[in-house]
Each structure stands twice: as C-alpha cells, then as structure tokens.
Amino acid sequence: MLIPNQNYGNLKESYLFFHIAQKVEAYREKHPDLPLYRLGIGDVSRPLCDVAIQALHAAVDEQAKEKTFHGYTPECGIPEFREAVAGYYARRNVKLDPAEIFVSSGASDELGDILDLFDPVSPALITQPAYPAYVDASIMAGRKVLFLTARPENNFLPLPSDDIEADLVYLCSPSNPTGAVYDREGLQAWVDYANRRGAVILFDAAYEAFVEGNLPHSIFEVPGARTCAIEICSFSKTAGWTGTRLGYTVIPKELEREGMNLNAMWVRNRTTKTNGISYILQKAGAAVLKGEGLRQIHGNIRHYKENARVLMDALDECGIRYWGGKNAPYIWMACPDGMKSWDFFDLLLNEIQVVGTPGEGFGTSGEGFFRLSSFGNPVDTKIAAERIKKLLKQG
Ligand code: MLT
C-alpha cells in the first residue's frame, strides 16, 4: 500500500489565502448585491505596463515565424533574461554573474521548491508573523521549524543570537506582512550568524521594489552574504505580474556546504525538474528591468503607494497604531480595542464589506494585528478607507 506524505497531517486544514477566498465567496453568495472592497491578498490591480505589453507582442510574433521560433528554452533562463537581472542588481553595485541567476515562475513556487537542496533534518528558523507558505512548505518537507517573534518592541525586525540552532533561516525584507525593512546592520547580523553557524539564509526579496531611501534591496548588498545566502525574487510585485508569473533566484557560486556547491546543485535540480520558463515571458521580463520599462513599473508602484497613503490617513484619523505602508505595499495595523484578528476580519466583512487579512493567519504572534493591502484600485481603496473610518470612529 502506498504511504502518503504523513507530514500533511501536521498542516492546518487549508492555506490562509484559500481559506479567506472561501469565506469571502460564501459571503458573496449570500449577499450577491453588496459590493466587496478587497484589501486582502496582495493581488495587483494595474494592467501590465506598456513596455511589457510591447515586448510580449514582439516575442509572440517571433514564435509565429520559423526563423525566429523558439522551442525549449535553457532551463535556468535565457541569456538575455539572466543578463537583464544582473544589470538590475549592478545599479546598486551588486555584481552577479548571470550564471548565478535562475529564472523561475515566481517566488512562492520557488520558496517551496528550493527546499530540495537541503536535508529535512536541518531545522528552519522563521521570523514570525511570516508569509504562511514558508511554514507550510517546511512542514510538508518534514522539517522542524523554530520561530523568532517579530513584535513592536523590536520594530518587527528580530535579530539572531548564537543560542538559536537553525540551519536554514527565512528572512523577508520588506516584510510580508509587517512592512518592516532591515537596515544594513540588521542584515549584517544575520549574515554573520549564518556564516558562523554554516547556516543558509533564504532571503525573500519579493517586495524590494517598494523600498525607499538608502535601505538595502538585496541581501547581497551586505558583505559576506555570498557565502551564506540565496535570494528569491518575483515580478509579481516588482512589475505587477501576479497572474503573468515570472521570478528569479540568485545562488552565488561561492555558496557551498559540506563540500557541495549549491549553485551546481540547483542547475542539476532545474535541468531535471523543469523544462524552463516561457520564452515570451522572459523576453518581457528582461524588457521591464531596464530604462523605460523600469520607469513604467515604478509608476505603478507609486500608484500603489498612493493607496497606502489613503489607508494610513484613515487609520491616523481613527488613532489606530500601524506599521509598514512606506517601504512595502502592506499596512500592519493593531486591531481596535484588543479584538482578535479573525473577529475583526468578520466585523469588516459583515459590516462594511471590506476584506483584509487577519494577523493570526501569519502565525500566532500575528494575533491582535490585521493586514491591509494597497494593491487594490484607487476608487475601491478610497471607499474602503472611508468605510473603515466611519466604522472605527463609531466604535
Ligand atoms: C500575500 O498577499 O501575502 C501575497 O500576495 C501572496 C503571495 O504572494 O502568494
């Protein structure tokens, strides 16, 4: 008799965003005439920028002619894409060899797949509240998970100490869900910890394009990261491609453990388990990472930041404490009057038809907090902000 993966028995019954989608759908079926204001999952609302659309069309046209047609693409990425990502990093003086860049179908897929590189006996450390896929993918792989709490007292940016016995460390900066960003000193502390222990950091940079000022966008801006870190990034939030699906992963050539080279292992993995990513998407991905493409994707990001401003103004008026919103598309607010986060979710849905994400969904230390996304359309966001204000002021 086949034995299924017993680790699935250790998971919550359903994944956070799937569970919320089901709750919202049940509400919609009961109240088909009520509009819904969606500030829940971080799904974008702006169309793809013009440079992306033009590049997609051009790549489709190439596929229409025998001379320019492409079949399989190289599994780790077409050279033009890998070079474009290297150029994107070079703008911040991070020098990468294109062979250190691997194309992917997005960060969430990759954050699970990458666990293939590590023995499941190596415990993982997750700073919590955290993107729930880190925890669930680790549990599915049968890995022990340790948690380190991010709380207002540490600005939601916990630091390592040598008594933490973790071999894999998940870091997300800017953080989903809290919006907190590590500065160079903070990242340096993690890099030093990982190099001392022989641990590896999985650095989720999905929200880096929202960072302002002199804060780091990449862990490779910090000395020593090349011997202890893997960076995973996505076009979902950088270019607003949640439905288009494209990402990349950086594994430096120096990254070795127990005499095994992780870059070479990932080449072995990708060439075995994938047949590459669509040529069309990689061409468009390369186009948006430079010149006019970059200008246009930053235009979309500014637009989402405007939504964040509207939401933060509403919370200011209500005297509600919140974090994030500036260097991240998420606003992490304290639930009013010490409410539990799922109760606040129900209140917003039932009373004002606003959908957010309960903090508890990001782990127990998220209880008492609530996440609002700024990726919605501006009209809905303004209505939602007005409704939140009215509800909380009545309070
Ligand atoms: C989120 O809302 O946390 C993200 O959009 C979900 C994801 O990227 O999978």
Side-chain angles (χ1 to χ4, degrees):
M1 177 85 92
L2 171 116
I3 304 174
N5 182 343
Q6 303 294 296
N7 300 315
Y8 279 65
N10 299 325
L11 293 167
K12 280 189 183 169
E13 195 177 321
S14 63
Y15 185 60
L16 174 65
F17 294 109
F18 182 69
H19 181 61
I20 291 175
Q22 284 177 317
K23 275 182 88 108
V24 172
E25 188 49 29
Y27 183 85
R28 210 185 53 77
E29 273 172 19
K30 258 188 154 174
H31 308 277
D33 300 330
L34 289 180
L36 280 170
Y37 302 95
R38 295 177 190 268
L39 310 180
I41 190 166
D43 196 4
V44 294
S45 54
R46 300 281 296 164
L48 301 198
C49 72
D50 192 51
V51 165
I53 294 295
Q54 298 307 325
L56 287 166
H57 280 301
V60 168
D61 287 344
E62 280 187 59
Q63 295 296 73
K65 295 180 207 107
E66 206 168 329
K67 260 197 168 154
T68 49
F69 168 78
H70 291 262
Y72 288 129
T73 56
E75 295 86 344
C76 301
I78 61 172
E80 184 180 337
F81 177 78
R82 302 176 95 181
E83 280 157 19
V85 176
Y88 183 67
Y89 276 77
R91 292 158 46 249
R92 296 202 177 83
N93 297 323
V94 175
K95 198 168 160 358
L96 297 177
D97 181 332
E100 296 175 322
I101 295 157
F102 295 82
V103 71
S104 77
S105 53
S108 40
D109 322 22
E110 198 81 342
L111 282 157
D113 292 352
I114 201 88
L115 297 179
D116 270 7
L117 292 181
F118 311 106
D119 191 298
V121 298
S122 312
L125 178 75
I126 297 179
T127 64
Q128 205 198 46
Y131 180 47
Y134 306 157
V135 181
D136 287 2
S138 298
I139 291 175
M140 285 176 189
R143 188 178 304 284
K144 182 173 159 197
V145 179
L146 312 169
F147 293 105
L148 190 61
T149 305
R151 49 168 67 92
E153 295 74 37
N154 56 23
N155 296 319
F156 293 103
L157 296 167
L159 292 171
S161 60
D162 280 334
D163 57 337
I164 302 171
E165 299 193 344
D167 295 330
L168 254 191
V169 176
Y170 284 86
L171 291 181
C172 179
S173 177
S175 155
N176 177 12
T178 68
V181 192
Y182 280 103
D183 60 13
R184 282 186 174 69
E185 291 69 36
L187 286 187
Q188 190 71 62
W190 280 109
V191 163
D192 293 345
Y193 165 87
N195 277 325
R196 266 195 314 275
R197 266 195 72 77
V200 168
I201 297 171
L202 294 179
F203 189 76
D204 179 353
Y207 299 94
E208 64 80 20
F210 286 77
V211 168
E212 293 179 5
N214 189 33
L215 290 162
H217 289 239
S218 161
I219 196 157
F220 297 115
E221 290 178 49
V222 167
R226 289 183 60 86
T227 51
C228 69
I230 291 176
E231 183 157 300
I232 292 179
C233 199
S234 162
F235 281 64
S236 290
K237 309 297 161 36
T238 305
W241 285 22
T242 50
T244 306
R245 309 306 308 152
L246 189 70
Y248 57 84
T249 296
V250 180
I251 310 184
K253 288 188 172 163
E254 290 94 313
L255 185 54
E256 296 196 340
R257 290 293 178 269
E258 303 277 337
M260 295 178 83
N261 183 288
L262 273 72
N263 179 294
M265 286 168 72
W266 198 234
V267 172
R268 185 70 177 84
N269 183 296
R270 296 291 85 179
T271 51
T272 308
K273 289 195 164 182
T274 77
N275 270 330
I277 299 285
S278 155
Y279 172 79
I280 298 162
L281 297 184
Q282 293 192 62
K283 288 285 284 186
V288 299
L289 288 188
K290 48 191 167 231
E292 176 60 16
L294 270 183
R295 208 186 57 72
Q296 291 184 2
I297 59 179
H298 279 115
N300 280 347
I301 286 171
R302 276 199 301 281
H303 172 101
Y304 295 130
K305 287 196 172 202
E306 199 39 53
N307 285 344
R309 186 71 269 150
V310 167
L311 293 167
M312 291 191 291
D313 286 347
L315 296 178
D316 281 337
E317 272 194 48
C318 302
I320 297 272
R321 215 170 159 208
Y322 61 85
W323 297 261
K326 178 169 158 52
N327 295 297
Y330 301 125
I331 294 154
W332 182 245
M333 60 177 282
C335 296
D337 306 322
M339 271 181 97
K340 296 242 184 231
S341 60
W342 282 101
D343 293 342
F344 188 55
F345 173 88
D346 288 335
L347 179 77
L348 292 193
L349 180 60
N350 294 322
E351 298 298 321
I352 57 171
Q353 292 74 51
V354 169
V355 181
T357 310
E360 194 274 342
F362 300 97
T364 48
S365 53
E367 185 54 286
F369 296 94
F370 199 78
R371 196 192 76 174
L372 299 174
S373 157
S374 66
F375 282 121
N377 81 57
V379 175
D380 281 4
T381 303
K382 279 193 187 113
I383 298 173
E386 283 306 318
R387 289 183 167 216
I388 291 172
K389 239 173 13 193
K390 199 162 159 220
L391 179 81
L392 296 187
K393 278 186 165 172
Q394 260 171 22

